[in-house]
């Protein structure tokens, strides 16, 4: 069964970097995923698609501070030079016969 | 610029119906699958269902939680996607987002419309 697993929370300091992880369930390590950001009291925004080979393609206007990578069944979102507006919920999303979301990671910028 | 604008949300009693609309602009609507996602208060994102483009048959897929109650349709001449919600339950209370699908991933979101199911 296709499942996406995310840590519920993460934190990092202003100006630092943070790497968020989305793990695909066993047998699904070839799947691509997409990352979406949801700032407080706002709707989600598409950030990027991350392929199994680590290549990624970003949405319109997404800053260079955001990047994606992969290792095995894990897909990563790295945010560098953290800013206060990066404090948000981050969801990974994939697709099989249906569309599926991870539970989301709440990022706190200290 | 791609824009997706949802409308039709509001307060509705359990067991009643509601239809949401998603008006699209900035792209060739008929070339894309369109999708609905919801978010209950304080919860994560939940996929509701999508409709394929006519090129791929215009068929639909729905989440198990709404199958048999919710129906997705589209009017390519008006660039509008619809979510018809019947037999609404209190647990359907959520913000409903319209999204565009590129390939198989979501690449644009609307601002959402709130549906509250309560007596």
């Amino acid at each position: 069964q296709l499942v996406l697993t995310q840590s519920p929370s993460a934190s990092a300091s202003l100006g630092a970097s943070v790497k968020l992880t989305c793990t695909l369930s066993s047998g699904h390590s070839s799947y691509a995923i997409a990352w979406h950001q949801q700032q407080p009291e706002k709707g989600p925004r598409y950030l990027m698609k991350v392929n199994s080979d680590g290549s990624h393609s970003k949405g319109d206007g997404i800053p260079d501070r955001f990047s994606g990578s992969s290792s095995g069944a894990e897909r990563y979102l790295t945010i560098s030079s953290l800013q206060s507006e990066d404090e948000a919920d981050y969801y990974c999303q994939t697709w099989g016969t249906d569309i599926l979301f991870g539970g989301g990671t709440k990022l706190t910028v200290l | 610029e791609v824009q997706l604008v949802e409308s039709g949300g509001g307060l509705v009693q359990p067991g009643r119906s509601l239809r949401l609309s998603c008006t699209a602009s900035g792209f060739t609507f008929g070339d894309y699958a369109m999708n609905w996602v919801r978010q209950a208060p304080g919860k994560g994102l939940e996929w509701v269902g999508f409709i394929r483009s006519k090129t791929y048959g215009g068929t639909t897929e729905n989440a198990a939680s709404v199958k048999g109650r919710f129906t997705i349709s589209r009017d390519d001449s008006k660039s509008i996607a619809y979510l018809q919600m019947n037999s609404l339950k209190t647990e359907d209370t959520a913000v409903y987002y319209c999204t565009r699908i590129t390939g198989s991933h979501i690449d644009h979101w609307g601002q959402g419309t709130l549906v509250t199911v309560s007596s």
Side-chain angles (χ1 to χ4, degrees):
Chain A
Q1 182 184 358
L2 180 57
V3 175
L4 296 174
T5 302
Q6 298 182 253
S7 296
S9 63
S11 62
S13 299
L14 198 66
S17 294
V18 67
K19 191 173 187 179
L20 305 182
T21 303
C22 174
T23 303
L24 290 149
S25 50
S26 178
H28 299 95
S29 60
S30 65
Y31 281 53
I33 65 112
W35 285 103
H36 304 276
Q37 176 197 58
Q38 187 175 29
Q39 295 171 319
E41 306 306 317
K42 290 190 175 182
R45 174 177 71 151
Y46 167 68
L47 294 177
M48 68 183 71
K49 176 188 175 185
V50 181
N51 296 309
S52 59
D53 63 0
S55 60
H56 61 278
S57 56
K58 291 194 283 190
D60 297 337
I62 304 303
D64 292 341
R65 304 186 295 105
F66 290 81
S67 63
S69 58
S70 293
S71 177
E74 296 189 331
R75 307 286 179 265
Y76 307 109
L77 173 67
T78 299
I79 311 171
S80 58
S81 302
L82 272 168
Q83 301 179 6
S84 56
E85 61 262 34
D86 298 331
E87 185 159 289
D89 294 325
Y90 291 85
Y91 293 92
C92 57
Q93 172 250 314
T94 193
W95 48 92
T97 53
D98 303 339
I99 287 177
L100 181 68
F101 291 95
T105 296
K106 185 176 186 63
L107 175 64
T108 300
V109 179
L110 304 171
Chain B
E1 179 193 3
V2 172
Q3 285 199 316
L4 302 171
V5 179
E6 302 91 339
S7 59
L11 175 63
V12 61
Q13 292 179 327
R16 304 298 291 266
S17 298
L18 201 63
R19 187 179 79 163
L20 305 183
S21 300
C22 169
T23 303
S25 61
F27 64 100
T28 304
F29 181 78
D31 288 347
Y32 291 85
M34 298 301 295
N35 182 59
W36 290 92
V37 174
R38 68 184 180 182
Q39 186 172 36
K43 302 297 184 182
L45 301 173
E46 179 189 14
W47 173 66
V48 173
F50 64 77
I51 183 166
R52 297 177 177 87
S53 67
K54 292 289 197 297
T55 300
Y56 292 92
T59 52
T60 61
E61 303 290 344
N62 289 101
S65 59
V66 305
K67 201 164 289 187
R69 299 189 300 123
F70 290 12
T71 302
I72 299 172
S73 60
R74 63 189 299 154
D75 185 337
D76 290 352
S77 68
K78 296 181 180 177
S79 297
I80 300 177
Y82 300 100
L83 177 63
Q84 176 68 43
M85 304 184 292
N86 298 332
S87 303
L88 281 161
K89 305 176 182 180
T90 55
E91 52 263 42
D92 295 320
T93 293
V95 176
Y96 284 74
Y97 295 100
C98 170
T99 82
R100 190 180 83 167
I101 294 177
T102 291
S104 295
H105 69 281
I106 293 168
D107 72 342
H108 285 278
W109 296 76
Q111 86 289 349
T113 187
L114 176 62
V115 173
T116 303
V117 184
S118 174
S119 54

